[in-house]
Amino acid sequence: MRQREWNLVTDQTPEINYNQPGDTDLPNDQTESHASATSATAVDKNAYDETQIQVLEGLEAVRKRPGMYIGSTDFRGLHHCVYEIVDNAIDEALAGYCTDINVFLRKDGSCEVRDNGRGFPVGIHPKLGRPAVEVCLTVLHAGGKFGGEGYKVSGGLHGVGASVVNALSRRMKVTVYQDGNVYQQEYARGKVLYDLKVIGTTDRTGTTVQFWPDARGEDNPDGVFETGDFQFNILKARLREMAFLNKGVRITLTDERVEPAIERVYHYEGGIIEFVRYLNKNKEVLFPDPIYMEGVIKGTTVEVALQYNDTYQENIYTFANNIHTPEGGTHLTGFSSALTRSINEYGRQFGFLKASDTNLKSEDVRESLAAVISVKLVEPQFEGQTKSKLGNSEVRGIVDGLVYDRLSTFLGENPATARIILERCVGAARAREAARKARELTRRKTVLESASLPGKLADCTERDPEKCEIFLVEGDSAGGSAKTGRDRFFQAILPLRGKILNVEKVRIDRALSNNEIKAMITAFGCGYGDEFNIEKLRYHRIVCMTDADVDGAHIRILMLTFFYRYMRPLIEKGYVYIAMPPLYKVTKAKKEYYVYDDNELEKLLQEIGRDPKPEIQRYKGLGEMSSEQLWQTTMNPETRTMMQVSVEDAMAADEIMSLLMGDKVEPRKEFIEENAKLVTDLDI
């Protein structure tokens, strides 16, 4: 099966290669022992003795296993290197010494990061006898973030950031502006090229780090990264986020690889208040200004901004020391608890909740909420190496106490806004109860009751989810061809009539009244929303198979919107695919060829010749194919092409979903006008 990837944010992303290259550039003191180990292995491949034990010195370990330090060697790891250098500058800003950070994407493939902080220390390290800047860039676990004096607050305490980037760079150059002098040193794959030297004088302070990632290519087969091509859009999203989280800091991103150069400046004096406004920019807000809370308790700084909008999804982002924590943690738990408690107490006090009413639940008060929670603490503890969840137990009580006090005060002083919030939350509770009743209609009593399912599901006989796939097919006509042509052992077919409901504009209780949505939920067997359980999913490939026309594309987007809003783990786990039926059938000399786009067609015609003229048939819909053709071109795992749907940036995905599927017309019109020239296959 040829597999392509379809991304909600970037449209196309490269495949991930988990095979990590080794480092053939060993230090001199390691070459001999390495050679002896190799010769011993040649004598006896099964031997396991002292010669098999290798000790990786310095930055060797990073080049041997880069994925352990930056996650992967694809485009994600490449951009992580930029973030590591920027984080050093941000740490200077948090310490109160840096106001401007400039990131340049140079024409020679390098990335340069400048700041106006204090600069890397250049004095001789008392233990190692080398300049401190050299130690920071060439020794793992060396930095000013361990003793508590250099930096009170920083993103990470591992001390591996800059040195790892150095190890994975074909070349790195550091320039330090300090004490009236300009210092410079260069490295190649983590090894010092020359001693730190003074190259001039200056009246400024700060650091400039320029690095050339060690990307693989014909001239560099032993490179680390699959690509060295920095993506402007990926970097701008992260840098914009950093500017929001550190109010007053000016971050500039300049791409010099294009003519004219593109420059974006991110500078937000309002901090996370403007962050929330940005999250709601394509939505109607229920009150004009976000609610902002700030305080320092026991050395921990807490910032919270929130605002309700007219959608029916929560949109909460949490950060600890500027690090995004997508799985939440103790700061999110404290926030949710305080939010629920303060709103319930206000509702009881002023009659929004009667004595007979049950308390609002956490999901009720979070519906339609956009919020940013940012904490900065001295010693953050994250669960797992990915730092996706904050684990500091004391933070829960700190955030809970601050949010409860400040929000309760705000609600008491702003009765008009409080009324809007309470009415929204009470409405969400009623919808939740209605959805609970509707949910019962979507639950399967057993996995064998396929005959009673709505939507005319033709189930497969296999019961192992890893082997099963379900095709969501547009209309009964295509559904009939798919049912006839499928392999009924592992392929299920679910025909959908017409367009499903746009869930971006309605609550889930209304969505559950749509027969097609109910059919999908029932067929999948894993629930939805807060009750979603990936373990109960019956198919590990969910394939959207619609016609290659405007209506088919619209139906596909409606399905993806539903998956993203209420079954997001399906996309995050890589279970959602888009079928790619051929666009053309070419017949010549009794041979048939299927091609998937105009470029493939042109290439095929060059290969088989245009004389005599071949017969070319353009498919507009699946109904034009016989069951045999549909199987051979679109459903057969041996010959089909499929696109896997993924989400690289949840914030950007949420933004584009709201923009394209929401109620606001003007932003959608602007988006279409800006991107109209990018359309390459217009169906008219």
Side-chain angles (χ1 to χ4, degrees):
M1 178 185 76
R2 295 184 294 172
Q3 181 174 306
R4 302 174 183 174
E5 190 170 14
W6 192 86
N7 193 283
L8 288 176
V9 182
T10 60
D11 293 338
Q12 290 288 119
T13 54
E15 295 181 0
I16 303 173
N17 181 7
Y18 293 100
N19 297 317
Q20 311 294 351
D23 183 12
T24 58
D25 214 5
L26 295 174
N28 292 332
D29 61 346
Q30 291 296 306
T31 304
E32 187 176 344
S33 63
H34 179 75
S36 65
T38 302
S39 63
T41 304
V43 174
D44 185 359
K45 294 182 179 180
N46 296 317
Y48 181 64
D49 54 27
E50 68 280 358
T51 65
Q52 306 298 306
I53 307 301
Q54 295 186 29
V55 179
L56 300 178
E57 300 286 346
L59 299 179
E60 277 186 81
V62 180
R63 292 189 60 83
K64 285 285 187 182
R65 297 290 184 267
M68 293 179 59
Y69 298 89
I70 58 170
S72 67
T73 57
D74 61 357
F75 72 100
R76 300 173 185 86
L78 176 71
H79 294 92
H80 187 83
C81 290
V82 182
Y83 306 151
E84 289 286 1
I85 304 301
V86 172
D87 283 346
N88 286 339
I90 290 292
D91 287 340
E92 279 288 284
L94 291 175
Y97 298 101
C98 175
T99 58
D100 286 273
I101 301 169
N102 293 271
V103 181
F104 299 90
L105 303 179
R106 302 296 191 188
K107 291 182 179 180
D108 61 0
S110 67
C111 175
E112 182 178 316
V113 181
R114 295 180 189 171
D115 70 64
N116 64 343
R118 293 170 291 182
F120 270 117
V122 295
I124 301 300
H125 191 275
K127 182 179 179 180
L128 300 179
R130 301 296 298 172
V133 60
E134 178 184 316
V135 173
C136 289
L137 293 175
T138 60
V139 179
L140 286 177
H141 306 290
K145 305 173 184 179
F146 297 101
E149 298 301 324
Y151 297 100
K152 295 295 184 183
V153 174
S154 67
L157 300 177
H158 293 168
V160 300
S163 59
V164 166
V165 178
N166 192 8
L168 302 178
S169 296
R170 175 169 50 87
R171 179 186 166 203
M172 175 183 277
K173 180 169 65 177
V174 60
T175 307
V176 179
Y177 304 85
Q178 196 176 94
D179 300 327
N181 293 319
V182 182
Y183 302 85
Q184 194 170 91
Q185 192 173 39
E186 291 188 60
Y187 317 86
R189 295 180 173 88
K191 296 177 174 62
V192 177
L193 293 182
Y194 54 80
D195 289 341
L196 185 71
K197 61 185 180 181
V198 177
I199 62 170
T201 59
T202 183
D203 58 356
R204 57 163 292 200
T205 62
T207 302
T208 297
V209 176
Q210 185 176 11
F211 68 96
W212 291 255
D214 194 9
R216 289 198 293 272
E218 293 183 1
D219 59 338
N220 187 33
D222 296 325
V224 174
F225 295 103
E226 297 171 16
T227 176
D229 185 21
F230 295 104
Q231 298 297 308
F232 184 84
N233 287 336
I234 293 177
L235 290 175
K236 80 174 184 181
R238 174 58 179 164
L239 296 181
R240 179 177 57 221
E241 184 180 275
M242 298 297 288
F244 279 131
L245 295 169
N246 299 276
K247 55 185 174 184
V249 177
R250 181 184 302 271
I251 303 177
T252 304
L253 174 63
T254 305
D255 190 349
E256 297 180 347
R257 303 169 300 174
V258 296
E259 295 289 346
I262 303 173
E263 182 181 277
R264 295 288 186 271
V265 180
Y266 304 108
H267 180 233
Y268 306 103
E269 290 294 345
I272 64 170
I273 296 176
E274 295 189 53
F275 199 165
V276 170
R277 288 198 176 105
Y278 175 80
L279 295 175
N280 283 333
K281 70 175 183 177
N282 295 321
K283 304 165 186 173
E284 294 288 347
V285 296
L286 301 188
F287 44 89
D289 297 315
I291 303 170
Y292 178 70
M293 296 160 274
E294 180 184 23
V296 181
I297 302 175
K298 298 179 180 179
T300 297
T301 302
V302 180
E303 281 190 281
V304 177
L306 61 92
Q307 188 178 35
Y308 286 86
N309 54 57
D310 66 341
T311 69
Y312 302 103
Q313 293 81 37
E314 66 177 87
N315 203 7
I316 302 176
Y317 292 93
T318 59
F319 301 86
N321 290 12
N322 294 323
I323 297 172
H324 180 37
T325 48
E327 296 182 26
T330 52
H331 49 343
L332 178 60
T333 304
F335 169 79
S336 297
S337 173
L339 180 72
T340 307
R341 191 163 78 256
S342 58
I343 289 179
N344 270 311
E345 289 184 4
Y346 187 90
R348 295 286 181 194
Q349 183 178 354
F350 292 96
F352 293 95
L353 295 173
K354 299 178 181 178
S356 58
D357 294 334
T358 58
N359 276 343
L360 300 171
K361 293 188 176 182
S362 181
E363 59 260 42
D364 301 329
V365 302
R366 295 199 314 266
E367 183 186 274
S368 71
L369 176 66
V372 176
I373 305 155
S374 176
V375 297
K376 295 183 173 74
L377 59 163
V378 177
E379 294 185 2
Q381 299 170 9
F382 297 96
E383 297 182 10
Q385 288 187 331
T386 59
K387 301 181 182 179
S388 59
K389 189 175 183 180
L390 184 65
N392 296 67
S393 59
E394 72 279 6
V395 172
R396 174 176 179 174
I398 291 172
V399 176
D400 186 311
L402 184 142
V403 172
Y404 174 76
D405 290 341
R406 304 292 171 84
L407 186 57
S408 297
T409 302
F410 177 89
L411 295 175
E413 294 176 350
N414 298 271
T417 302
R419 171 177 288 277
I420 293 172
I421 294 173
L422 263 296
E423 288 177 348
R424 188 74 174 185
C425 296
V426 170
R430 292 170 180 163
R432 172 174 54 80
E433 180 61 22
R436 183 190 66 79
K437 296 177 181 178
R439 186 182 301 122
E440 301 300 322
L441 302 175
T442 67
R443 287 177 173 165
R444 300 181 67 174
K445 296 179 181 179
T446 74
V447 296
L448 300 176
E449 292 182 353
S450 58
S452 62
L453 289 175
K456 299 181 179 180
L457 172 69
D459 215 345
C460 54
T461 57
E462 174 63 50
R463 288 292 175 259
D464 183 356
E466 292 187 5
K467 300 178 182 178
C468 296
E469 55 190 36
I470 183 170
F471 288 83
L472 307 176
V473 184
E474 174 190 354
D476 289 339
S477 176
S481 298
K483 289 177 184 178
T484 305
R486 67 172 176 146
D487 185 333
R488 62 179 62 245
F489 177 70
F490 68 98
Q491 292 180 325
I493 308 295
L494 180 61
L496 301 175
R497 292 183 177 179
K499 297 176 181 177
I500 72 169
L501 195 66
N502 181 6
V503 300
E504 190 71 22
K505 299 182 179 182
V506 298
R507 280 195 173 108
I508 188 60
D509 60 317
R510 171 82 184 284
L512 290 177
S513 65
N514 182 270
N515 289 329
E516 314 313 310
I517 288 178
K518 286 195 294 186
M520 287 190 289
I521 295 173
T522 305
F524 298 167
C526 55
Y528 63 91
D530 292 339
E531 293 189 355
F532 183 89
N533 185 353
I534 198 75
E535 299 297 325
K536 295 183 178 180
L537 180 64
R538 301 183 60 243
Y539 314 94
H540 280 193
R541 283 181 297 280
I542 298 170
V543 186
C544 304
M545 190 165 70
T546 60
D547 292 343
D549 57 11
V550 173
D551 284 341
H554 191 196
I555 293 171
R556 185 167 66 233
I557 289 296
L558 290 171
M559 286 192 277
L560 292 176
T561 302
F562 172 67
F563 297 153
Y564 180 77
R565 290 303 186 195
Y566 294 103
M567 295 181 170
R568 191 179 301 185
L570 292 181
I571 298 176
E572 294 171 343
K573 294 287 186 180
Y575 292 157
V576 181
Y577 296 82
I578 295 174
M580 298 291 292
L583 193 59
Y584 298 101
K585 175 187 175 184
V586 180
T587 306
K588 185 175 181 180
K590 298 183 179 181
K591 289 186 177 181
E592 296 180 344
Y593 308 89
Y594 296 95
V595 294
Y596 294 82
D597 55 46
D598 291 325
N599 291 331
E600 285 190 29
L601 175 63
E602 184 63 27
K603 185 178 179 181
L604 175 65
L605 293 176
Q606 290 179 0
E607 291 178 358
I608 65 175
R610 290 181 166 85
D611 189 24
K613 186 178 180 181
E615 181 184 342
I616 302 175
Q617 179 184 357
R618 189 182 193 279
Y619 293 114
K620 292 273 295 184
L622 299 174
E624 296 182 17
M625 294 185 186
S626 66
S627 56
E628 188 175 328
Q629 289 175 331
L630 191 59
W631 162 256
Q632 190 61 33
T633 63
T634 314
M635 301 179 70
N636 185 352
E638 300 296 326
T639 56
R640 70 191 182 189
T641 298
M642 295 172 66
M643 299 175 73
Q644 188 177 36
V645 181
S646 67
V647 177
E648 297 303 331
D649 187 337
M651 192 181 303
D654 184 86
E655 180 184 343
I656 199 70
M657 282 291 184
S658 298
L659 187 150
L660 297 179
M661 308 303 290
D663 286 323
K664 276 196 168 184
V665 176
E666 194 59 34
R668 184 158 55 246
K669 180 182 176 183
E670 292 176 3
F671 177 86
I672 294 171
E673 290 174 347
E674 289 175 5
N675 293 275
K677 295 181 180 179
L678 302 178
V679 176
T680 57
D681 185 17
L682 184 63
D683 184 22
I684 55 175

